[in-house]
Each structure stands twice: as structure tokens, then as C-alpha cells.
Amino acid sequence: MRQTVAVIDYGSGNLHSVAKAVEHAGSNQVVVTSDAATIAAVDRVILPGVGAMGDCMRGLQERGLDRVVLDLIGSKPLMAVCVGMQILTEYGEESSGIHALGVFQGHITQFPRSMTGCAGEPLKVPHMGWNEVMQVSHPMWEGIPDRTRFYFVHSYRYADIHAECVVGTCDYGSPFAAALARDRVFAVQFHPEKSHDFGIQLYRNFLTWDGTC
Amino acid sequence: MGLAKRVIPCLDVDQGRVVKGVQFEGIRDAGDPVEISRRYNQEGADEITFLDITASHENRATTYDTVSRMASEVFIPLTVGGGVRNTDNIRDLLLAGADKVSINTAAVFEPEFVKKAADKFGSQCIVVAIDAKQVGPDRWEIFTHGGRKPTGFDAVEWAQRMVSYGAGEILLTSMDRDGTRDGFDLDLTRSVADAVTVPVIASGGVGNLRHLVDGVIEGHAEAVLAASIFHFGQFTIGEAKEAMANAGIEIRR
């Protein structure tokens, strides 16, 4: 079944690679758009995000896309990536504090300044590179082994791994959420479009996901 | 278990072809960048770094085209450097499909440019490349123009300053070792890696797999970058990772 997909363009970086990865995963129609009518017409929507949470929120608001995103929650499958995931939470402590969309309960907080790894070595921030994701059972993980490594690059994270919406966790200094989900929304902190075959598999799963958890 | 140390093959690209020189001279042709990145991607490279060494302005279009073709096929992070002088260059490279850009000479001439770039695009995509040469015991200085021009800046202090300006990562090359196959300058690598809060990529001098292991264990690097050992078929990325895993380093398989 061919699926039309909109990648929401709100002035954030690297939309090209998200669109290319979704095409590679099997969609024959991916549009990168900031047009509300186009977003309303497609089967599935991706909310990407690169950079600072505040800039992303502003970018959405300036284009009136914050309402567009909130309106589609629960009505069609939405996948959010990196800062796209962060702005679906309630609040981020980046810069002087960012009030976000509140689709998921919980906050985004900074990695602590002096973290150490298991051998006592200092851990660098940003958390940059390939780290293991521990899965919580969810249809979006179909065909992806537990503890598969995905590519992360971020300095802030969703730390409350006991929240009900958490469907994947990662560990860097301490555990944090790698994936959040609810009805028809799946959000990841890592970049599937940069995570080689299993990243593509995740987009492939999104193209057929019926939206249930 | 945790974050994996990264193995990054580096492509020095001149007018659309991968080349590799010895100590920045004596160029050998190593092939088509898209084809080579596809192979590295299949072999398990964690990222790819593309350094555009094309001097002339008119060939930049070739670079954007090559980056775009690579990004359409290779779904791992791609860093592009070489001739990045202003925020327009950065925007064009990110639009072409680069995930990070590496700033070198322009940072030395206008350090505030790094701040501007990090504010505009986010620290996560700003890599500052440092070319350092040893000038005394435990002292390294920054050089520009392919290692020909000294700047008077101390490498460790410079790295710290660049991080305070928003660099999200440091790509550290030893000019003394580059192309020699004698291994990384481990003292340099460790001095910089221990002095900054962001990841450091060790570069310059890899001739065998032990050198990669040393870069992580003794140099404290988060990632190791090499070119010729991979380009000319001496080792695969898989063999590099095997050697690192055998030395107890966490890697992505």
C-alpha cells in the first residue's frame, strides 16, 4: 500500500535526509511542506527537528504549524524525530525555558555537567553517536532487534523513563527516553534517517503502522 | 554498555574525486566518493567525513552535487568540510544533505564566525577542525593553509575557546603525523580530549589497526578518523572494529 507522507518544514535543518530516508523506506510520495492543507491531505506526517528547542517552537508558531500539529494528533499517524520529539512534551529547560506542545506529559532537561561512564571516564556532551535502545513492546519496533544501536546527537533529554508513554530507553550517564508513544504518535530522540538499515526499517514500519500502541 | 566509539573514514575530495596525499602533498586518486561511501556504509562505518580540498570557487557546485548524491544513498551521518567561510556555505551544505559542517581556516581568521554558526544552526552540526603541529614539549600550535601557516595559537587553548563559542565537536589533526602511517599524536589527542567537554575525533597518521585502538584508549578520543588504510583496501571498517572490540572498546557492529 503506497502512502503519502508530509515532512513538516518549519525552517529546521536537514529535512532532505528525512525525506530521502522515507522514500528509501518505500513511500513513493514524500512532500516537504509547511502548507496546512497539504499536511491535512496526506496519510502520514513526520515532524523533524534539529537545533534548539526554542528555535523549533518559534519556527512552528510563526507558520501557524503548532495548531496544525495539535489538530492532527490522534487523527493520523505522526512520527517525531529528535527536537521534534522534544517539542511534543510539555516544557524544555533549554535557554530560559520553552513551553512546548504538551502532547506527552513530562519535561526535557539538560544532561548534567559532570557525568561519568561505567569505568569512571568523563562523558562528553552532546551525547553524540550510536547508542543502544532498550525496547518496550510496541508495533513500531517490528523487525528491529532489542538493543539495536541508533544515532543520537543531543544535549537535552527526557529523563523520566518510568512515564507511561516511554517505549524505548537509552543510557548515557543515567537512563533517558529514546522513544515515546501514544495513540497514533511515535516519537524518537535519535535520528532514524542517520541510523542505517534499522533506521530505515523504523520508517518502513511507520508507513504501515495502524497507529495502535 | 553505552555509547560506541566511532570509526570514521575520511574522503579528501578534489573536483569530485577522492584523493589522498602524504603530509598534504603527493596526491593519489582513490575513486568516486559516492561509490566509496556506499561501500563504507555497508561495511559499518559510523559516519563519513568529506573534506573538499578543491581550491577554486567554481567547483563548489560539484561539491554540493556530490554531497547531495551521497546523502541520498548513505543513511549515516555525513560531515562536510573544506572552504566553509560563511553561514551561506553552511546552509547550502546542510541543504545538500550534510549533517555537520567542519570549519577550519575561517575560525582562525574570525573566531566569532563559530559563535554565529552555532547560534544559527545549532552546536550539533558545527565541527571545528584543528590542524596542529608540535612546537615544543607538550605544546602544539594551530596551522592553517594545509599546514603551511602558523597562527601562534596554542592548540589546547584554541580547542577550549572553540567549544566555548559553540563547537559541538573537535576534529583534531596532527600535521606532524598526517599521511605518515606512524599513528596518531597521542599526547596531542589526549591533551585536547581531556581539556574539552565535547567529543574529539582523532585524525592524522593511522597506518594500522593498533593505532585506532591507541587513539581511543591512550588518546581518549571519542572517534577515530582514517583515510588511506581504508581507501586502498588495506583494512575494512569491519576489521578496524574487530580490532577495537578485541581491545575492549565498545563499538557498533
Side-chain angles (χ1 to χ4, degrees):
Chain A
M1 182 180 57
R2 291 298 191 176
Q3 292 285 307
T4 56
V5 178
V7 177
I8 300 183
D9 178 6
Y10 54 97
S12 163
N14 221 340
L15 303 164
H16 169 101
S17 59
V18 174
K20 289 288 176 192
V22 177
E23 271 171 19
H24 201 77
S27 172
N28 62 343
Q29 209 186 332
V30 182
V31 287
V32 175
T33 182
S34 56
D35 177 57
T38 307
I39 295 167
V42 296
D43 300 315
R44 287 155 203 274
V45 177
I46 294 177
L47 179 65
V50 168
M53 209 175 150
D55 290 341
C56 288
M57 269 311 290
R58 254 191 312 281
L60 273 184
Q61 285 161 344
E62 279 166 6
R63 293 165 180 80
L65 291 168
D66 49 338
R67 287 264 28 119
V68 171
V69 171
L70 287 172
D71 286 348
L72 67 82
I73 299 296
S75 71
K76 66 175 80 174
L78 171 72
M79 184 160 164
V81 174
C82 194
V83 182
M85 176 195 110
Q86 297 187 352
I87 60 182
L88 292 184
T89 68
E90 293 173 296
Y91 180 82
E93 68 171 17
E94 202 164 319
S95 34
S96 50
I98 311 298
H99 289 280
L101 297 174
V103 172
F104 292 107
Q105 286 184 347
H107 297 175
I108 301 297
T109 52
Q110 195 162 15
F111 279 113
R113 280 199 179 271
S114 23
M115 297 186 296
T116 49
C118 42
E121 77 284 8
L123 296 179
K124 304 293 182 107
V125 175
H127 173 226
M128 185 186 285
W130 300 79
N131 207 338
E132 293 177 326
V133 172
M134 276 62 78
Q135 301 173 1
V136 174
S137 173
H138 189 281
M140 281 286 287
W141 296 123
E142 178 71 35
I144 301 171
D146 191 21
R147 304 184 83 94
T148 290
R149 287 181 187 274
F150 289 93
Y151 187 81
F152 289 84
V153 51
H154 59 124
S155 302
Y156 294 79
R157 85 290 197 231
Y158 186 98
D160 179 14
I161 57 157
H162 301 296
E164 204 187 337
C165 58
V166 174
V167 292
T169 63
C170 184
D171 197 296
Y172 193 61
S174 58
F176 66 90
L180 304 177
R182 51 170 276 182
D183 179 35
R184 293 193 172 84
V185 183
F186 190 83
V188 288
Q189 177 60 68
F190 54 84
H191 289 273
E193 67 281 3
K194 291 292 146 189
S195 297
H196 199 225
D197 292 348
F198 288 119
I200 300 294
Q201 180 64 38
L202 199 62
Y203 283 129
R204 194 173 293 131
N205 292 346
F206 179 62
L207 294 175
T208 55
W209 181 39
D210 64 5
T212 57
C213 282
Chain B
M1 298 304 274
L3 187 62
K5 302 297 179 191
R6 289 169 279 154
V7 176
I8 307 177
C10 177
L11 313 181
D12 292 309
V13 181
D14 184 23
Q15 297 174 54
R17 296 290 291 177
V18 175
V19 295
K20 183 60 201 172
V22 176
Q23 277 170 319
F24 283 56
E25 288 164 51
I27 303 284
R28 279 171 77 181
D29 187 294
D32 171 50
V34 180
E35 201 176 294
I36 292 174
S37 354
R38 204 184 296 136
R39 188 177 86 224
Y40 291 154
N41 184 35
Q42 281 159 3
E43 287 179 4
D46 296 310
E47 286 185 28
I48 287 174
T49 289
F50 175 123
L51 291 180
D52 179 19
I53 63 169
T54 304
S56 69
H57 186 72
E58 55 270 28
N59 281 313
R60 293 296 281 182
T62 310
T63 301
Y64 295 133
D65 177 61
T66 309
V67 168
S68 161
R69 287 191 298 130
M70 281 167 77
S72 305
E73 295 190 38
V74 176
F75 297 104
I76 57 175
L78 174 61
T79 300
V80 184
V84 176
R85 294 199 165 75
N86 53 50
T87 51
D88 284 350
N89 295 153
I90 298 177
R91 194 202 56 222
D92 290 346
L93 287 171
L94 294 177
L95 286 176
D99 299 289
K100 306 184 228 181
V101 295
S102 149
I103 305 173
N104 188 343
T105 307
V108 176
F109 287 117
E110 191 200 344
E112 298 287 322
F113 170 48
V114 171
K115 209 180 260 180
K116 211 187 300 173
D119 282 348
K120 196 170 166 74
F121 302 103
S123 290
Q124 84 292 333
C125 69
I126 304 299
V127 180
V128 170
I130 296 179
D131 293 341
K133 250 186 205 179
Q134 188 149 20
V135 291
D138 289 328
R139 195 179 141 75
W140 297 268
E141 201 175 296
I142 306 300
F143 279 68
T144 60
H145 296 85
R148 293 189 302 277
K149 286 198 179 168
T151 64
F153 293 133
D154 175 78
V156 175
E157 287 168 16
W158 178 250
Q160 289 174 317
R161 183 169 169 203
M162 290 296 97
V163 171
S164 73
Y165 282 11
E169 194 170 33
I170 299 288
L171 168 54
L172 178 66
T173 303
S174 161
M175 309 297 300
D176 302 307
R177 297 300 179 87
D178 199 58
T180 64
R181 301 177 159 261
D182 290 338
F184 297 121
D185 182 336
L186 296 173
D187 293 330
L188 166 68
T189 308
R190 189 173 48 247
S191 299
V192 173
D194 289 353
V196 298
T197 53
V198 304
V200 170
I201 305 167
S203 157
V206 175
N208 61 48
L209 301 182
R210 183 69 220 176
H211 292 152
L212 300 177
V213 170
D214 292 343
V216 172
I217 292 179
E218 290 182 42
H220 299 173
E222 288 297 314
V224 287
L225 179 142
S228 40
I229 61 160
F230 300 130
H231 298 338
F232 300 111
Q234 189 186 354
F235 298 106
T236 64
I237 306 279
E239 286 166 340
K241 290 197 161 179
E242 192 65 36
M244 291 168 76
N246 289 340
I249 297 171
E250 190 154 356
I251 48 107
R252 159 182 164 254
R253 290 191 185 270

PDB file of all heavy atoms in Angstrom, chain A residues 1 6 11 19-20 39 52 88 99 122 135-136 154 192 198 205:
ATOM      1  N   MET A   1       0.842  -1.206   0.000  1.00  0.00           N
ATOM      2  CA  MET A   1       0.000   0.000   0.000  1.00  0.00           C
ATOM      3  C   MET A   1       0.873   1.251   0.000  1.00  0.00           C
ATOM      4  O   MET A   1       1.665   1.443   0.917  1.00  0.00           O
ATOM      5  CB  MET A   1      -0.899  -0.014   1.243  1.00  0.00           C
ATOM      6  CG  MET A   1      -1.844   1.159   1.308  1.00  0.00           C
ATOM      7  SD  MET A   1      -2.882   1.109   2.799  1.00  0.00           S
ATOM      8  CE  MET A   1      -1.698   1.063   4.118  1.00  0.00           C
ATOM      9  N   ALA A   6       3.934  13.658   4.609  1.00  0.00           N
ATOM     10  CA  ALA A   6       4.407  15.047   4.649  1.00  0.00           C
ATOM     11  C   ALA A   6       5.468  15.175   5.735  1.00  0.00           C
ATOM     12  O   ALA A   6       5.270  14.726   6.856  1.00  0.00           O
ATOM     13  CB  ALA A   6       3.246  15.994   4.947  1.00  0.00           C
ATOM     14  N   GLY A  11      11.463  25.440   8.959  1.00  0.00           N
ATOM     15  CA  GLY A  11      12.734  26.149   8.984  1.00  0.00           C
ATOM     16  C   GLY A  11      13.822  25.406   9.734  1.00  0.00           C
ATOM     17  O   GLY A  11      14.916  25.917   9.918  1.00  0.00           O
ATOM     18  N   ALA A  19      13.388  13.117   4.301  1.00  0.00           N
ATOM     19  CA  ALA A  19      12.564  12.813   3.121  1.00  0.00           C
ATOM     20  C   ALA A  19      13.184  11.677   2.299  1.00  0.00           C
ATOM     21  O   ALA A  19      12.485  10.753   1.870  1.00  0.00           O
ATOM     22  CB  ALA A  19      12.403  14.074   2.268  1.00  0.00           C
ATOM     23  N   LYS A  20      14.519  11.744   2.115  1.00  0.00           N
ATOM     24  CA  LYS A  20      15.195  10.695   1.330  1.00  0.00           C
ATOM     25  C   LYS A  20      15.078   9.333   2.003  1.00  0.00           C
ATOM     26  O   LYS A  20      14.890   8.314   1.339  1.00  0.00           O
ATOM     27  CB  LYS A  20      16.687  11.044   1.161  1.00  0.00           C
ATOM     28  CG  LYS A  20      16.938  12.199   0.224  1.00  0.00           C
ATOM     29  CD  LYS A  20      16.680  11.798  -1.217  1.00  0.00           C
ATOM     30  CE  LYS A  20      16.839  12.989  -2.129  1.00  0.00           C
ATOM     31  NZ  LYS A  20      16.325  12.726  -3.477  1.00  0.00           N
ATOM     32  N   ILE A  39      -0.655  19.139   4.495  1.00  0.00           N
ATOM     33  CA  ILE A  39      -0.461  18.271   5.658  1.00  0.00           C
ATOM     34  C   ILE A  39      -1.779  17.551   5.990  1.00  0.00           C
ATOM     35  O   ILE A  39      -1.795  16.371   6.332  1.00  0.00           O
ATOM     36  CB  ILE A  39       0.070  19.090   6.860  1.00  0.00           C
ATOM     37  CG1 ILE A  39       1.477  19.624   6.545  1.00  0.00           C
ATOM     38  CG2 ILE A  39       0.095  18.245   8.144  1.00  0.00           C
ATOM     39  CD1 ILE A  39       1.994  20.686   7.502  1.00  0.00           C
ATOM     40  N   ALA A  52      17.964  23.991  18.333  1.00  0.00           N
ATOM     41  CA  ALA A  52      17.468  24.320  19.664  1.00  0.00           C
ATOM     42  C   ALA A  52      15.951  24.193  19.720  1.00  0.00           C
ATOM     43  O   ALA A  52      15.241  24.485  18.759  1.00  0.00           O
ATOM     44  CB  ALA A  52      17.895  25.732  20.036  1.00  0.00           C
ATOM     45  N   LEU A  88       7.087  17.913  21.498  1.00  0.00           N
ATOM     46  CA  LEU A  88       5.786  17.300  21.800  1.00  0.00           C
ATOM     47  C   LEU A  88       5.582  17.140  23.307  1.00  0.00           C
ATOM     48  O   LEU A  88       4.498  16.769  23.756  1.00  0.00           O
ATOM     49  CB  LEU A  88       5.650  15.943  21.115  1.00  0.00           C
ATOM     50  CG  LEU A  88       5.555  15.938  19.586  1.00  0.00           C
ATOM     51  CD1 LEU A  88       5.330  14.511  19.076  1.00  0.00           C
ATOM     52  CD2 LEU A  88       4.445  16.856  19.083  1.00  0.00           C
ATOM     53  N   HIS A  99       7.990  26.629  26.569  1.00  0.00           N
ATOM     54  CA  HIS A  99       6.699  25.968  26.705  1.00  0.00           C
ATOM     55  C   HIS A  99       6.394  25.269  25.390  1.00  0.00           C
ATOM     56  O   HIS A  99       6.369  25.892  24.339  1.00  0.00           O
ATOM     57  CB  HIS A  99       5.613  26.966  27.092  1.00  0.00           C
ATOM     58  CG  HIS A  99       5.796  27.417  28.500  1.00  0.00           C
ATOM     59  ND1 HIS A  99       5.393  26.664  29.583  1.00  0.00           N
ATOM     60  CD2 HIS A  99       6.400  28.511  29.019  1.00  0.00           C
ATOM     61  CE1 HIS A  99       5.737  27.277  30.703  1.00  0.00           C
ATOM     62  NE2 HIS A  99       6.352  28.406  30.387  1.00  0.00           N
ATOM     63  N   PRO A 122      35.045  10.555  32.094  1.00  0.00           N
ATOM     64  CA  PRO A 122      34.077  11.631  31.913  1.00  0.00           C
ATOM     65  C   PRO A 122      33.287  11.445  30.611  1.00  0.00           C
ATOM     66  O   PRO A 122      33.842  11.009  29.604  1.00  0.00           O
ATOM     67  CB  PRO A 122      34.944  12.889  31.842  1.00  0.00           C
ATOM     68  CG  PRO A 122      36.313  12.423  31.528  1.00  0.00           C
ATOM     69  CD  PRO A 122      36.435  11.014  31.993  1.00  0.00           C
ATOM     70  N   GLN A 135      14.083  -1.688  24.084  1.00  0.00           N
ATOM     71  CA  GLN A 135      12.704  -1.512  23.635  1.00  0.00           C
ATOM     72  C   GLN A 135      11.688  -1.897  24.699  1.00  0.00           C
ATOM     73  O   GLN A 135      11.923  -2.803  25.490  1.00  0.00           O
ATOM     74  CB  GLN A 135      12.458  -2.377  22.391  1.00  0.00           C
ATOM     75  CG  GLN A 135      13.375  -2.058  21.244  1.00  0.00           C
ATOM     76  CD  GLN A 135      13.233  -3.039  20.093  1.00  0.00           C
ATOM     77  OE1 GLN A 135      12.418  -3.961  20.137  1.00  0.00           O
ATOM     78  NE2 GLN A 135      14.021  -2.850  19.049  1.00  0.00           N
ATOM     79  N   VAL A 136      10.564  -1.196  24.669  1.00  0.00           N
ATOM     80  CA  VAL A 136       9.354  -1.629  25.366  1.00  0.00           C
ATOM     81  C   VAL A 136       8.431  -2.065  24.231  1.00  0.00           C
ATOM     82  O   VAL A 136       8.368  -1.393  23.197  1.00  0.00           O
ATOM     83  CB  VAL A 136       8.729  -0.454  26.148  1.00  0.00           C
ATOM     84  CG1 VAL A 136       7.390  -0.852  26.766  1.00  0.00           C
ATOM     85  CG2 VAL A 136       9.697   0.041  27.225  1.00  0.00           C
ATOM     86  N   HIS A 154      22.387  15.039  20.806  1.00  0.00           N
ATOM     87  CA  HIS A 154      21.542  15.958  21.603  1.00  0.00           C
ATOM     88  C   HIS A 154      22.213  16.259  22.937  1.00  0.00           C
ATOM     89  O   HIS A 154      23.041  15.489  23.418  1.00  0.00           O
ATOM     90  CB  HIS A 154      20.157  15.337  21.841  1.00  0.00           C
ATOM     91  CG  HIS A 154      20.179  14.017  22.558  1.00  0.00           C
ATOM     92  ND1 HIS A 154      19.492  13.794  23.721  1.00  0.00           N
ATOM     93  CD2 HIS A 154      20.838  12.851  22.300  1.00  0.00           C
ATOM     94  CE1 HIS A 154      19.708  12.553  24.134  1.00  0.00           C
ATOM     95  NE2 HIS A 154      20.521  11.957  23.283  1.00  0.00           N
ATOM     96  N   PRO A 192      16.500   8.307  13.003  1.00  0.00           N
ATOM     97  CA  PRO A 192      16.399   7.096  12.177  1.00  0.00           C
ATOM     98  C   PRO A 192      17.018   7.304  10.795  1.00  0.00           C
ATOM     99  O   PRO A 192      17.623   6.381  10.239  1.00  0.00           O
ATOM    100  CB  PRO A 192      14.891   6.867  12.049  1.00  0.00           C
ATOM    101  CG  PRO A 192      14.263   7.649  13.148  1.00  0.00           C
ATOM    102  CD  PRO A 192      15.175   8.796  13.427  1.00  0.00           C
ATOM    103  N   PHE A 198      18.503  -0.174  10.206  1.00  0.00           N
ATOM    104  CA  PHE A 198      17.405  -0.262  11.187  1.00  0.00           C
ATOM    105  C   PHE A 198      16.654   1.062  11.321  1.00  0.00           C
ATOM    106  O   PHE A 198      15.483   1.082  11.704  1.00  0.00           O
ATOM    107  CB  PHE A 198      17.920  -0.785  12.529  1.00  0.00           C
ATOM    108  CG  PHE A 198      18.272  -2.247  12.473  1.00  0.00           C
ATOM    109  CD1 PHE A 198      19.575  -2.675  12.719  1.00  0.00           C
ATOM    110  CD2 PHE A 198      17.309  -3.192  12.142  1.00  0.00           C
ATOM    111  CE1 PHE A 198      19.906  -4.025  12.644  1.00  0.00           C
ATOM    112  CE2 PHE A 198      17.633  -4.554  12.065  1.00  0.00           C
ATOM    113  CZ  PHE A 198      18.938  -4.968  12.311  1.00  0.00           C
ATOM    114  N   ASN A 205       8.355   0.723   9.013  1.00  0.00           N
ATOM    115  CA  ASN A 205       7.280   0.343   9.943  1.00  0.00           C
ATOM    116  C   ASN A 205       6.249   1.457  10.073  1.00  0.00           C
ATOM    117  O   ASN A 205       5.051   1.198  10.156  1.00  0.00           O
ATOM    118  CB  ASN A 205       7.870   0.033  11.329  1.00  0.00           C
ATOM    119  CG  ASN A 205       8.708  -1.231  11.315  1.00  0.00           C
ATOM    120  OD1 ASN A 205       8.661  -2.014  10.368  1.00  0.00           O
ATOM    121  ND2 ASN A 205       9.488  -1.423  12.365  1.00  0.00           N
TER     122      ASN A 205
END
